[in-house]
Amino acid sequence: MQSSKKGIWATIYNQRQLIVLTFPFLIMVLIFNYFPLWGWLLAFKDYKPYLGFQNSEWVGFKNFADLFSDVYFFQALRNTLVISCLKLIFNFLSSITFAILLNEIKNMLFKRTVQTISYLPHFVSWVVAANIVYTVLSPDYGIINELLVKFHILKEPINFLGEPQYFWFIAPITEVWKEMGWNAIIYLAAMTNIDPQLYEAASIDGAGRLKRIWYITLPGILPTVKILLIMNVGWILNAGFEQMYLLQRPSTLDYSDILETYILRYGIGSGRWSYATAAGIFNSVVSLILVTTANRIASKIGEGERVF
Amino acid sequence: MQTSAKYRTTEDLVIDIVVYTVMIIVMIATLYPFWNILAISLNDALDSIRGGIYLWPRKFTLNNYRVILSNPDIYHATLISVLRAVIGSLTNVLSCLMVAYAISRKDYIFRRFISKVIVFTMYFSGGLIPTYLLMKNLHLVGTFWVYILPGMVSAFNIIVIRSYIDGLPQSLIESAKIDGASEYRILFQIIMPLCLPVLATVTLWVAVGQWNAWFDTFLYNSGKPELSTLQFELQKILQSVQSASTNPDFSASLTSSGRTVTPTAIRATMTVVATLPILFVYPFLQRYFIHGLTIGSIKE
């Protein structure tokens, strides 16, 4: 006992330089990432800023009861789930297809040009992207409306962003525009790990290009697809706050309000701190359960290659 | 080349046509919106309202830029954006490097504990309201440091740098230790120079993230115009145009220093101004961006 204890202190003393390198940052993480958890107590109080945390009254689960009886909360929850699921489907289909098609290009210069262009939008902010979406979809001068009217698909230009029923699709499609190329990188990396001999053998056996894509390329990236899919299911309650907030209008809130914008409106907007904290706890707890479950499944499926 | 000629079939041809067509459509769909915004920003503001500006400005003018750039707030916002990109990325990368180095050392006694504490932050957050109140209690609201401090230690960047260090020969560290070098010396004189590629990547990520951020300005510093960033100014323009479009009293144009501009023109011009820096660095640096992503995808 004595000697092992001495051993620990000796190790700590010997590694004091490593401790100096890490502990300041460990403390920062504890303050900025863990300390807000203490603020969760707010959800069980009726927090009034002028009273302060100490003097505000305890109300038990009242805020949660209010939350679960608010129809707009369930509307926000529904929108979050629908938009996330659509985004998941759109993102996966588009980036996998894009990666497969890109992989079929033999002209390296063309391939690299397409790739470079495709992930450019990933690097601009959602504010810039939202402005671009606004311009492209504008009923007055937007190219989409002009084209649809010119080809007689529409009689009158549509104010796409102002009409609630389009929002569920505008969100995933604009995200595809912004992230497809970037998301494809990981599949392309997986494809470079496929043994080229497989392709040669297959073509000697008479497999055409479609068959080679179907029987070699797709199975080759399947483990990556599985892991990413599972991990992304874990993030299903995060529909993408910045994008939603910037693209939504008061007129589309029925379909565009997600949990995070709901929390922002009630918390900071109308000063209902405790209520918004309760909504935030709901969001964090469900997300945490989803993410940890997803990570566990991913580690089982991926033959030990967990994402983290 | 020989094999591809040998197996050339109609199927090959059809697939090639499909692939190249799709790729050209993707390129146009990606680039056109940027190009269109640029064309609108270079067109006469009142003329733009008529619509029909696609590829080139109809009435070319630099007036929109003159109006935007004659506003002293823009220079200040640019300065803040640049400052937060530079300071934010340098502090983030330095702190992540220190932590990554320490937890890459297999013998470090707190290695597992620190890794767990940091990785766990990727999975949850305290939420908007508690975080806001924390910043308030720490007196960070209304300061520049609210842009830098909360995100200084980032789990993902630590993992990326760490897996790079893990790939370096461990004997380097051992022999330096035998020669009596301190941990600081090993880190800054031996490990850091070898890590330059991954550090460049992470620096760029953080810098782009800082340049693009607006929500923290909106949340913590919207009452402090002197801490406004370019993206936040752009966001304000976007939101004001949105509320204006539902407001019938909104006048279609406004006059600034004798020149007429419209919300459309201001929006397009500000978008270009806020995007240009990224467009400039992008072609030179994109291979670094990618490089890091492939390191990051390596399992821990």
Side-chain angles (χ1 to χ4, degrees), chain B residues 67-136:
Chain B
V67 171
I68 294 272
L69 298 179
S70 69
N71 179 355
D73 293 348
I74 293 301
Y75 295 99
H76 195 76
T78 311
L79 177 72
I80 298 288
S81 287
V82 170
L83 275 182
R84 68 176 286 182
V86 171
I87 299 176
S89 49
L90 292 183
T91 52
N92 177 296
V93 169
L94 197 62
S95 57
C96 289
L97 172 69
M98 291 189 206
V99 177
Y101 168 71
I103 63 176
S104 78
R105 292 283 305 274
K106 304 272 181 289
D107 55 333
Y108 182 33
I109 182 169
F110 296 114
R111 165 187 142 95
R112 280 178 62 94
F113 170 67
I114 293 175
S115 308
K116 282 214 163 113
V117 166
I118 288 175
V119 166
F120 193 58
T121 62
M122 295 176 81
Y123 294 104
F124 78 97
S125 82
L128 180 72
I129 309 293
T131 309
Y132 178 82
L133 290 175
L134 174 72
M135 298 304 162
K136 224 178 145 128

Side-chain angles (χ1 to χ4, degrees), chain A residues 15 17 22 25 34 40 42 116 119 123 125 127 131 134 146 177 209-210 235 241-242 246 249 291, chain B residues 11-12 16 29 54 95 107-109 117 122-123 126 133 183 212 214-215 231 242 267 278 282 286:
Chain A
Q15 298 184 341
Q17 294 175 335
T22 45
F25 305 113
Y34 287 83
W40 280 20
L42 280 183
T116 304
Y119 38 64
F123 291 101
S125 68
V127 193
N131 272 303
Y134 189 95
E146 302 258 359
W177 175 77
R209 267 167 86 179
L210 268 183
W235 294 112
F241 169 77
E242 294 203 351
L246 291 165
R249 301 273 177 286
V291 168
Chain B
E11 187 194 351
D12 255 0
D16 269 346
Y54 303 118
S95 57
D107 55 333
Y108 182 33
I109 182 169
V117 166
M122 295 176 81
Y123 294 104
L133 290 175
E183 298 289 356
N212 282 341
W214 61 271
F215 186 65
Q231 306 286 337
Q242 280 182 14
R267 222 184 46 245
I278 288 195
Y282 181 73
Q286 50 118 345

Side-chain angles (χ1 to χ4, degrees), chain B residues 191-263:
Chain B
I191 301 296
M192 196 164 95
L194 291 172
C195 283
L196 280 183
V198 71
L199 295 183
T201 307
V202 174
T203 312
L204 285 170
W205 279 347
V206 183
V208 169
Q210 286 279 9
W211 179 264
N212 282 341
W214 61 271
F215 186 65
D216 47 6
T217 317
F218 168 77
L219 198 57
Y220 303 121
N221 290 343
S222 41
K224 287 253 178 177
E226 68 271 24
L227 291 173
S228 201
T229 58
L230 260 187
Q231 306 286 337
F232 179 61
E233 291 298 319
L234 182 61
Q235 185 263 341
K236 280 202 294 196
I237 292 171
L238 179 69
Q239 297 296 40
S240 69
V241 175
Q242 280 182 14
S243 47
S245 63
T246 53
N247 178 1
D249 294 334
F250 182 73
S251 61
S253 62
L254 52 137
T255 309
S256 164
S257 59
R259 298 185 179 94
T260 307
V261 287
T262 59

Side-chain angles (χ1 to χ4, degrees), chain A residues 8 11-12 15-23 25-26 28-37 39-40 42 47 98 101-102 104-107 110 113-128 130-132 134-136 140-141 143 146 150 177 180 182 185-186 189 203-204 208-213 231 235 241-242 245-249 260 263-264 267-268 273 276-277 284 287-288 291 295 304-308, chain B residues 4 7 11-12 15-16 19-20 22-24 26-27 29-34 36-37 40 48-49 51-52 54 95 98-99 101-103 105 107-110 113-114 116-135 138 140 149-150 152-153 156 159 182-184 187-188 205 208 212 214-215 218-219 231 234-235 238-239 241-242 245 264 267 271 274-275 278-279 282 286 289-290 293-294 297 299-300:
Chain A
I8 284 178
T11 321
I12 288 178
Q15 298 184 341
R16 63 191 184 282
Q17 294 175 335
L18 290 176
I19 291 175
V20 170
L21 285 177
T22 45
F23 271 53
F25 305 113
L26 185 68
M28 284 187 72
V29 169
L30 292 177
I31 292 175
F32 287 111
N33 297 84
Y34 287 83
F35 195 73
L37 291 178
W40 280 20
L42 280 183
Y47 178 71
F98 180 65
L101 293 184
L102 205 58
E104 292 299 312
I105 295 177
K106 285 177 202 77
N107 182 330
F110 185 74
T113 312
V114 178
Q115 224 189 333
T116 304
I117 289 173
S118 74
Y119 38 64
L120 173 68
H122 172 81
F123 291 101
V124 302
S125 68
W126 262 115
V127 193
V128 167
N131 272 303
I132 285 173
Y134 189 95
T135 307
V136 168
D140 302 325
Y141 45 80
I143 183 80
E146 302 258 359
K150 200 165 266 174
W177 175 77
M180 179 181 79
W182 183 253
I185 293 175
I186 195 151
S203 49
I204 289 167
R209 267 167 86 179
L210 268 183
K211 282 209 161 137
R212 273 176 278 163
I213 292 174
M231 289 316 292
W235 294 112
F241 169 77
E242 294 203 351
Y245 180 78
L246 291 165
L247 290 180
Q248 68 183 199
R249 301 273 177 286
E260 286 165 293
I263 292 167
L264 181 71
I268 313 265
W273 301 92
T277 308
S284 299
S287 289
L288 190 62
V291 168
N295 196 24
E305 51 177 316
R306 277 190 306 165
V307 179
F308 296 110
Chain B
S4 71
Y7 295 105
E11 187 194 351
D12 255 0
I15 289 183
D16 269 346
V19 167
Y20 280 87
V22 171
M23 289 306 154
I24 287 167
V26 166
M27 282 200 283
T30 310
L31 283 184
Y32 176 76
F34 289 101
N36 186 227
I37 284 260
I40 293 175
S48 297
I49 301 176
Y54 303 118
S95 57
M98 291 189 206
V99 177
Y101 168 71
I103 63 176
R105 292 283 305 274
D107 55 333
Y108 182 33
I109 182 169
F110 296 114
F113 170 67
I114 293 175
K116 282 214 163 113
V117 166
I118 288 175
V119 166
F120 193 58
T121 62
M122 295 176 81
Y123 294 104
F124 78 97
S125 82
L128 180 72
I129 309 293
T131 309
Y132 178 82
L133 290 175
L134 174 72
M135 298 304 162
L138 292 174
L140 284 172
L149 294 177
M152 207 165 114
V153 188
F156 186 73
I159 291 173
S182 71
E183 298 289 356
Y184 313 123
L187 172 58
F188 291 111
W205 279 347
V208 169
N212 282 341
W214 61 271
F215 186 65
F218 168 77
L219 198 57
Q231 306 286 337
L234 182 61
Q235 185 263 341
L238 179 69
Q239 297 296 40
V241 175
Q242 280 182 14
S245 63
T264 310
R267 222 184 46 245
T271 307
T275 316
I278 288 195
L279 288 184
Y282 181 73
Q286 50 118 345
F289 290 129
I290 309 306
L293 188 82
T294 35
S297 65
K299 58 188 180 275
E300 199 193 353

Side-chain angles (χ1 to χ4, degrees), chain A:
Chain A
M1 259 341 256
Q2 192 84 34
S3 69
S4 83
K5 214 167 200 175
K6 227 177 187 171
I8 284 178
W9 290 111
T11 321
I12 288 178
Y13 180 77
N14 284 334
Q15 298 184 341
R16 63 191 184 282
Q17 294 175 335
L18 290 176
I19 291 175
V20 170
L21 285 177
T22 45
F23 271 53
F25 305 113
L26 185 68
I27 291 167
M28 284 187 72
V29 169
L30 292 177
I31 292 175
F32 287 111
N33 297 84
Y34 287 83
F35 195 73
L37 291 178
W38 183 73
W40 280 20
L41 289 176
L42 280 183
F44 304 97
K45 287 196 160 203
D46 183 19
Y47 178 71
K48 298 266 176 18
Y50 58 89
L51 288 177
F53 182 82
Q54 291 292 329
N55 300 323
S56 292
E57 192 193 342
W58 288 100
V59 293
F61 285 92
K62 183 179 171 298
N63 288 309
F64 287 95
D66 288 351
L67 191 65
F68 294 128
S69 58
D70 182 22
V71 57
Y72 294 108
F73 170 73
F74 286 102
Q75 189 180 287
L77 182 61
R78 178 202 64 181
N79 293 337
T80 310
L81 291 174
V82 171
I83 292 172
S84 295
C85 288
L86 286 176
K87 275 189 174 182
L88 196 72
I89 298 167
F90 280 43
N91 274 337
F92 267 82
L93 290 182
S94 65
S95 49
I96 292 170
T97 315
F98 180 65
I100 288 175
L101 293 184
L102 205 58
N103 199 41
E104 292 299 312
I105 295 177
K106 285 177 202 77
N107 182 330
M108 283 313 283
L109 182 69
F110 185 74
K111 184 173 172 178
R112 213 165 295 154
T113 312
V114 178
Q115 224 189 333
T116 304
I117 289 173
S118 74
Y119 38 64
L120 173 68
H122 172 81
F123 291 101
V124 302
S125 68
W126 262 115
V127 193
V128 167
N131 272 303
I132 285 173
V133 171
Y134 189 95
T135 307
V136 168
L137 292 181
S138 158
D140 302 325
Y141 45 80
I143 183 80
I144 300 283
N145 270 308
E146 302 258 359
L147 284 177
L148 290 176
V149 170
K150 200 165 266 174
F151 289 108
H152 301 289
I153 299 168
L154 287 179
K155 277 211 178 79
E156 290 274 294
I158 295 179
N159 184 8
F160 286 103
L161 283 170
E163 304 281 341
Q165 68 268 32
Y166 296 117
F167 195 86
W168 282 354
F169 294 95
I170 288 176
I173 291 171
T174 51
E175 172 134 325
V176 165
W177 175 77
K178 198 169 180 298
E179 304 296 339
M180 179 181 79
W182 183 253
N183 290 338
I185 293 175
I186 195 151
Y187 302 115
L188 285 164
M191 284 173 201
T192 55
N193 289 333
I194 299 174
D195 188 354
Q197 289 186 333
L198 285 175
Y199 288 105
E200 274 168 39
S203 49
I204 289 167
D205 288 347
R209 267 167 86 179
L210 268 183
K211 282 209 161 137
R212 273 176 278 163
I213 292 174
W214 189 255
Y215 291 107
I216 300 170
T217 311
L218 268 181
I221 61 169
L222 202 61
T224 314
V225 176
K226 269 190 201 160
I227 289 192
L228 286 181
L229 194 62
I230 292 165
M231 289 316 292
N232 279 309
V233 168
W235 294 112
I236 209 95
L237 277 197
N238 299 64
F241 169 77
E242 294 203 351
Q243 180 196 13
M244 297 303 138
Y245 180 78
L246 291 165
L247 290 180
Q248 68 183 199
R249 301 273 177 286
S251 63
T252 60
L253 274 186
D254 284 355
Y255 290 84
S256 65
D257 197 20
I258 58 165
L259 285 175
E260 286 165 293
T261 53
Y262 177 87
I263 292 167
L264 181 71
R265 228 179 26 257
Y266 278 88
I268 313 265
S270 7
R272 294 177 66 186
W273 301 92
S274 295
Y275 183 75
T277 308
I281 291 177
F282 173 83
N283 196 347
S284 299
V285 169
V286 178
S287 289
L288 190 62
I289 293 171
L290 287 172
V291 168
T292 43
T293 318
N295 196 24
R296 202 158 295 159
I297 298 172
S299 65
K300 271 191 186 144
I301 287 181
E303 295 129 27
E305 51 177 316
R306 277 190 306 165
V307 179
F308 296 110

